[in-house]
Amino acid sequence: MADEPQKKPHLSALVGHTNGLTKPASLAAASRAGGGGVGGGGSATAPSKKLVIKNFRERPKLPDNYTQDTWQKLHEAVGAIQSSISIKYNLEELYQAVENLCSYKVSATLYKQLRQVCEDHVKAQILQFREYPFLIHQNDSLDSLLFLKKINKCWQDHCRQMIMIRSIFLFLDRTYVLQNSMLPSIWDMGLELFRNHVISDKQVQNKTIDGILLLIGRERNGEAVDRSLLRSLLSMLSDLQQVYKESFEQRFLEETNCLYAAEGQRLMQEREVPEYLHHVSKRLEEEGDRVITYLDHSTQKPLIACVEKQLLGEHLAAILQKGLDNLLDENRISDLTQMYQLFSRVKGGQQILLQHWSEYIKNFGTTIVVNPEKDKDMVQELLDFKDKVDHIIEVCFQKNEKFINLMKESFETFINKRPNKPAELIAKYVDSKLRAGNKEATDEELERILDKIMIIFRFIHGKDVFEAFYKKDLAKRLLVGKSASVDAEKSMLSKLKHECGAAFTSKLEGMFKDMELSKDVMVQFKQYMQNQSDPGNIDLTVNILTMGYWPTYTPMEVHLNSEMIKLQEVFKTFYLGKHSGRKLQWQTTLGHAVLKADFKEGKKEFQVSLFQTLVLLMFNEGDEFSFEEIKMATGVEDSELRRTLQSLACGKARVLIKNPKGKDVEDGDKFIFNGDFKHKLFRIKINQIQMKETVEEQVSTTERVFQDRQYQIDAAIVRIMKMRKTLGHNLLVSELYNQLKFPVKPGDLKKRIESLIDRDYMERDKDNPNQYHYVA
């Protein structure tokens, strides 16, 4: 064209070709100059050209109708795009036309014209939806689906058209629009028009959102739905700015809330707790998947919070009351893990689970501790229960410190509901594990058992009761040689020392020291005996026990034979010769012996107590004795003698025959030596028959502990008053609670204070009876 204005050097060129929904490729601006350019790729020998910069020639004027004709071409192209027909003109030519118009300051007019064309087209779209049969019932899902597909097609077409239109008017978008911050970009303008003229229409908007909610509801009921359609429509609402938040999300969350509120109420009635928890997990997973697949990411937090509140938060206490005890009783690890994970998601969930967890431990533990019929198995049940709760904390509760600490508090609470007895039984349990003949465990297993015992031991308040019974049993193990392993004994002692301090174990350590010193003394005594003119037929072994270290034993005078008495005197002379000023007191109740006996079957050896020894030695003088004769000859106390004769005549190894037969020894019973005695072993141990861990022994041990506590309370009161000189009653009691390591009642403390006042260790203030003064 002769009258076409002269073109500038290509300041910008359309790169690539726009097709379909593909967004336009980047437009590159390239300044081109004639010749090789500055520092260009010319020959090294060629002379460099001088670059001269001159002003542009005056821009030629546009022909009168150029703007109108060019807009007409652009209008036709936009119309073709909107009608989905082919464009008559080359896209690069159209792009260049827009650039030319912008260069001649008609950008504002061009933008308005383009907006008007797009607006007219979008307005026309609403007619197809207004003609759509809106009066069909809302639950007609087929009609709803067809409508959604129609609105989705309209949206997809609109997006494709705006991408194509923007690619032609890109120069306008990147110059004029970019420089005017108040104007939306061509793409945003298209969104604004679609929102204002299509989606903002109340009928269209309601029908669209109703349809989307209907599809989501069907999917929640287990039906398969077109997720890509949902994704596209919700993406549309999201792209149209506040439409998603204000119109869709609010209604969606309200419906979700109603759905799960009703579902939670119904399923809590119908299902057992494990099934219900599984359903909650499934629902949470489904809703999370919806966010990933088609909902906007911003919906995730309120949506999940809604599900958690209605299916969990509203039913926390009911779930725990209905099912926690059963899950714990049956050790349902996977279900408990799921419960913990779900409860951890809800505010206050962990706290209420903690409370029920603590109550369960206390209730279950109390049934073990307070029932006297369970005393035999109490400690083992406690250990098993502790193993069980430890496993649950580790696997199900993720080693949560709060659950660990509350478990410890709960154990401490229930185990001390019954004073003294658990401590006594734990001591006896340790004795059963450390006693010789215990083949149940290897050294490593025994060590593990002792570690577990120490954990239970820590929960006990009255540790002095444990010490008293442990000391009594340890004494038996050491004196009768019944200890399974010295290493295990020392290990247990080390654990007690670490837990309770050196003062707690000092007496127990003293017992071991006595046993070691006794071995050295016996080596010296045997050498001493070899120098005696008449060493005798008895091989005597003596253990020297320091009175303060060992349990208190009631001395019992019995009639030893002359040879024993003689040997006792020899030892006494030997020992006091080395340690002058000491006093020896023989404890006949702890004595034991090995006797050799001849029977028709052959020789046998009996490992027996001293009392059994005295009875059996009588039968060297005769074959038959009455109960009264034996009592007179041995001097053994009545009840002890009856048990001794029972063990010899009524037990498994019947060395004596009782006449008349019977389990109990009565006055006037006769005892005859059993010459026909038979046994498969050569050395036979005849156990002394005892009353069930003699009640007297239990009572005396407990009373001894109680007496020791009185002394400790007195000492603590005097110690505090000596330091403070004057102190009020409440402060004194508070200080005593801090210092005393065993449980004590206020009434007991008051009695000890009164006792010390009576003994003039302290006195009441004359004006204030609740104030005490120390008496120096």
Side-chain angles (χ1 to χ4, degrees):
M1 289 173 63
D3 58 349
E4 187 177 346
Q6 183 181 352
K7 292 183 180 178
K8 293 180 288 178
H10 281 277
L11 292 177
S12 53
L14 185 63
V15 179
H17 182 74
T18 305
N19 186 21
L21 286 174
T22 310
K23 292 194 176 182
S26 304
L27 298 175
S31 176
R32 296 181 184 172
V38 181
S43 169
T45 56
S48 60
K49 291 182 180 180
K50 188 174 181 182
L51 185 67
V52 179
I53 300 173
K54 295 180 180 180
N55 288 332
F56 283 119
R57 292 174 188 172
E58 188 178 340
R59 181 182 294 174
K61 290 182 179 178
L62 286 172
D64 293 340
N65 55 351
Y66 177 78
T67 303
Q68 188 178 350
D69 291 346
T70 305
W71 166 244
Q72 193 57 41
K73 283 167 63 178
L74 292 169
H75 187 222
E76 281 181 38
V78 170
I81 290 168
Q82 289 173 337
S83 303
S84 297
I85 58 175
S86 60
I87 304 168
K88 288 193 289 185
Y89 309 100
N90 181 282
L91 286 176
E92 190 170 354
E93 181 187 341
L94 293 171
Y95 177 85
Q96 191 61 55
V98 172
E99 185 179 337
N100 290 339
L101 288 176
C102 291
S103 301
Y104 281 91
K105 309 294 183 185
V106 291
S107 301
T109 306
L110 185 61
Y111 183 84
K112 284 179 184 173
Q113 288 172 320
L114 177 61
R115 180 185 173 93
Q116 190 60 52
V117 170
C118 291
E119 187 169 14
D120 291 343
H121 176 73
V122 172
K123 279 181 177 178
Q125 299 306 306
I126 196 69
L127 297 174
Q128 61 177 315
F129 300 110
R130 284 193 175 145
E131 294 164 2
Y132 204 80
F134 278 97
L135 297 176
I136 295 178
H137 195 272
Q138 187 180 350
N139 288 334
D140 189 334
S141 57
L142 182 62
D143 165 59
S144 183
L145 185 62
L146 291 172
F147 177 85
L148 291 180
K149 286 179 177 177
K150 197 173 183 69
I151 198 78
N152 185 54
K153 183 177 184 306
C154 179
W155 166 249
Q156 294 294 341
D157 289 346
H158 176 76
C159 289
R160 187 178 66 253
Q161 291 160 14
M162 291 310 300
I163 288 168
M164 293 278 288
I165 291 167
R166 180 178 176 272
S167 69
I168 293 170
F169 288 84
L170 193 63
F171 192 85
L172 176 69
D173 210 26
R174 288 188 169 177
T175 54
Y176 171 71
V177 175
L178 204 60
Q179 291 158 10
N180 290 269
S181 59
M182 300 302 290
L183 289 177
S185 67
I186 292 171
W187 175 258
D188 288 342
M189 182 239 329
L191 292 179
E192 184 184 303
L193 292 173
F194 195 87
R195 182 174 68 249
N196 292 342
H197 298 297
V198 179
I199 291 301
S200 288
D201 183 277
K202 279 298 171 191
Q203 284 185 323
V204 173
Q205 189 179 111
N206 289 343
K207 186 76 174 173
T208 302
I209 291 170
D210 285 348
I212 292 170
L213 292 174
L214 187 64
L215 281 188
I216 294 173
R218 284 169 57 192
E219 189 184 50
R220 280 173 169 164
N221 285 332
E223 296 180 43
V225 297
D226 186 346
R227 285 186 145 205
S228 61
L229 176 62
L230 281 171
R231 182 165 55 248
S232 177
L233 290 168
L234 289 166
S235 175
M236 172 188 78
L237 297 182
S238 189
D239 288 346
L240 298 176
Q241 295 176 350
Q242 293 305 310
V243 178
Y244 182 90
K245 279 279 176 197
E246 292 174 1
S247 301
F248 167 74
E249 189 181 75
Q250 190 176 350
R251 273 192 62 194
F252 170 67
L253 292 175
E254 284 172 4
E255 289 203 7
T256 302
N257 207 51
C258 293
L259 169 74
Y260 288 126
E263 185 173 277
Q265 292 286 350
R266 176 170 53 81
L267 294 183
M268 271 301 294
Q269 300 294 325
E270 294 174 3
R271 298 193 180 181
E272 293 301 318
V273 166
E275 292 176 85
Y276 183 79
L277 293 175
H278 181 71
H279 176 79
V280 174
S281 292
K282 184 164 165 279
R283 281 304 200 190
L284 285 166
E285 193 179 320
E286 287 171 1
E287 297 303 337
D289 182 54
R290 277 184 193 101
V291 174
I292 294 167
T293 309
Y294 52 74
L295 293 169
D296 190 87
H297 184 69
S298 64
T299 308
Q300 180 175 16
K301 197 170 179 181
L303 172 61
I304 299 302
C306 172
V307 181
E308 288 171 347
K309 179 178 183 293
Q310 295 302 339
L311 293 185
L312 284 173
E314 297 292 330
H315 307 287
L316 291 175
I319 290 170
L320 293 172
Q321 285 165 5
K322 185 177 181 182
L324 179 61
D325 286 6
N326 287 341
L327 296 185
L328 290 168
D329 286 342
E330 296 168 18
N331 211 26
R332 302 271 286 274
I333 298 298
S334 60
D335 293 328
L336 286 167
T337 304
Q338 189 173 53
M339 178 180 279
Y340 175 80
Q341 289 169 348
L342 290 173
F343 273 55
S344 298
R345 300 177 69 134
V346 185
K347 186 180 178 183
Q350 265 196 20
Q351 191 56 42
I352 193 168
L353 180 58
L354 265 172
Q355 292 166 5
H356 280 74
W357 163 246
S358 173
E359 286 305 311
Y360 174 81
I361 293 173
K362 288 175 189 172
N363 293 337
F364 192 92
T366 302
T367 61
I368 297 173
V369 170
V370 300
N371 186 357
E373 293 176 6
K374 286 194 171 187
D375 283 358
K376 184 182 175 186
D377 302 315
M378 180 198 291
V379 179
Q380 189 59 54
E381 285 191 24
L382 286 174
L383 291 173
D384 293 343
F385 183 47
K386 181 68 170 54
D387 283 345
K388 175 179 169 178
V389 296
D390 283 346
H391 183 66
I392 289 169
I393 288 173
E394 184 175 354
V395 178
C396 308
F397 300 159
Q398 299 173 6
K399 301 180 184 176
N400 187 316
E401 283 292 326
K402 291 179 181 176
F403 283 82
I404 293 170
N405 293 334
L406 199 60
M407 176 270 290
K408 290 176 180 176
E409 288 176 24
S410 304
F411 260 80
E412 190 174 343
T413 300
F414 79 70
I415 210 167
N416 290 294
K417 280 190 175 180
R418 187 180 177 195
N420 304 337
K421 199 64 183 178
E424 175 192 332
L425 294 173
I426 289 170
K428 288 177 182 174
Y429 184 86
V430 175
D431 176 57
S432 73
K433 295 300 175 187
L434 293 178
R435 205 182 298 148
N438 176 33
K439 307 295 183 188
E440 294 174 20
T442 62
D443 290 345
E444 293 79 12
E445 288 169 341
L446 182 57
E447 189 68 18
R448 279 198 298 273
I449 290 168
L450 295 180
D451 284 334
K452 287 181 179 180
I453 281 288
M454 287 308 299
I455 293 169
I456 301 292
F457 171 74
R458 285 186 194 116
F459 300 131
I460 292 169
H461 290 161
K463 292 183 171 62
D464 49 352
V465 175
F466 171 89
E467 183 199 11
F469 282 95
Y470 184 79
K471 183 164 78 172
K472 180 171 65 67
D473 292 331
L474 175 61
K476 283 183 183 177
R477 292 197 300 275
L478 294 178
L479 295 174
V480 189
K482 277 190 172 183
S483 187
S485 160
V486 175
D487 290 339
E489 294 281 6
K490 295 281 179 73
S491 172
M492 185 63 192
L493 210 57
S494 171
K495 294 180 201 300
L496 289 170
K497 189 172 187 176
H498 180 264
E499 185 64 33
C500 304
F504 187 84
T505 56
S506 60
K507 292 179 180 179
L508 303 175
E509 288 171 334
M511 292 163 71
F512 279 95
K513 191 175 179 183
D514 279 353
M515 295 304 291
E516 286 163 12
L517 290 173
S518 295
K519 288 177 186 174
D520 296 336
V521 169
M522 290 320 296
V523 171
Q524 296 167 15
F525 179 64
K526 289 194 188 311
Q527 291 171 351
Y528 175 80
M529 286 299 290
Q530 287 172 3
N531 298 326
Q532 295 293 309
S533 57
D534 182 14
N537 298 322
I538 300 174
D539 185 10
L540 178 67
T541 302
V542 180
N543 288 315
I544 311 295
L545 314 180
T546 306
M547 192 168 279
Y549 295 159
W550 297 76
T552 305
Y553 299 107
T554 306
M556 189 182 293
E557 292 294 331
V558 293
H559 304 154
L560 301 177
N561 64 26
S562 57
E563 203 169 351
M564 288 181 183
I565 293 169
K566 180 185 173 185
L567 208 48
Q568 274 186 339
E569 290 302 320
V570 171
F571 181 80
K572 189 174 179 181
T573 304
F574 157 77
Y575 186 77
L576 295 180
K578 283 183 169 293
H579 305 282
S580 60
R582 293 191 181 180
K583 182 184 176 185
L584 287 177
Q585 185 182 72
W586 296 91
Q587 293 289 352
T588 53
T589 54
L590 302 178
H592 54 94
V594 175
L595 294 179
K596 294 179 179 178
D598 288 327
F599 295 97
K600 291 177 183 177
E601 188 185 55
K603 293 184 181 294
K604 297 285 183 188
E605 286 186 1
F606 293 116
Q607 199 172 333
V608 286
S609 70
L610 180 62
F611 297 155
Q612 289 170 328
T613 302
L614 296 178
V615 172
L616 289 174
L617 287 176
M618 283 185 67
F619 288 89
N620 283 334
E621 311 298 327
D623 290 336
E624 182 179 327
F625 296 97
S626 67
F627 172 74
E628 287 74 18
E629 287 170 334
I630 296 171
K631 183 177 178 181
M632 184 71 69
T634 60
V636 178
E637 183 264 327
D638 189 282
S639 60
E640 196 69 51
L641 180 60
R642 290 179 194 275
R643 286 201 296 277
T644 300
L645 288 167
Q646 257 185 320
S647 68
L648 295 171
C650 308
K652 290 181 181 177
R654 299 189 179 185
V655 188
L656 303 179
I657 298 169
K658 187 173 88 74
N659 186 15
K661 292 180 180 181
K663 287 184 179 180
D664 296 323
V665 174
E666 306 290 348
D667 293 348
D669 283 354
K670 305 280 186 187
F671 294 89
I672 304 155
F673 180 70
N674 182 10
D676 297 325
F677 176 80
K678 292 182 181 179
H679 203 282
K680 60 181 178 181
L681 299 177
F682 172 69
R683 175 174 281 195
I684 303 132
K685 181 172 177 14
I686 303 177
N687 291 321
Q688 180 83 346
I689 291 177
Q690 291 187 339
M691 288 186 281
K692 292 178 182 176
E693 216 264 321
T694 56
V695 178
E696 294 91 343
E697 202 172 55
Q698 279 186 12
V699 170
S700 67
T701 306
T702 308
E703 282 178 353
R704 206 156 47 243
V705 171
F706 182 75
Q707 194 60 51
D708 287 343
R709 286 182 181 180
Q710 310 304 304
Y711 299 143
Q712 289 181 56
I713 294 169
D714 288 358
I717 294 171
V718 171
R719 194 164 54 243
I720 293 165
M721 291 306 300
K722 190 174 183 179
M723 185 173 66
R724 299 290 186 91
K725 305 301 182 194
T726 299
L727 204 59
H729 178 80
N730 290 340
L731 285 174
L732 175 58
V733 169
S734 176
E735 191 69 37
L736 285 168
Y737 278 130
N738 290 334
Q739 288 196 19
L740 297 171
K741 294 180 180 178
F742 48 83
V744 62
K745 296 174 185 174
D748 294 335
L749 294 180
K750 195 171 181 182
K751 284 178 187 174
R752 299 321 305 157
I753 291 168
E754 295 292 346
S755 171
L756 289 170
I757 290 171
D758 292 342
R759 288 179 279 160
D760 294 330
Y761 282 95
M762 53 197 284
E763 64 183 9
R764 290 185 192 278
D765 188 271
K766 292 175 183 176
D767 300 322
N768 183 0
N770 282 327
Q771 192 94 347
Y772 305 120
H773 301 290
Y774 176 67
V775 178

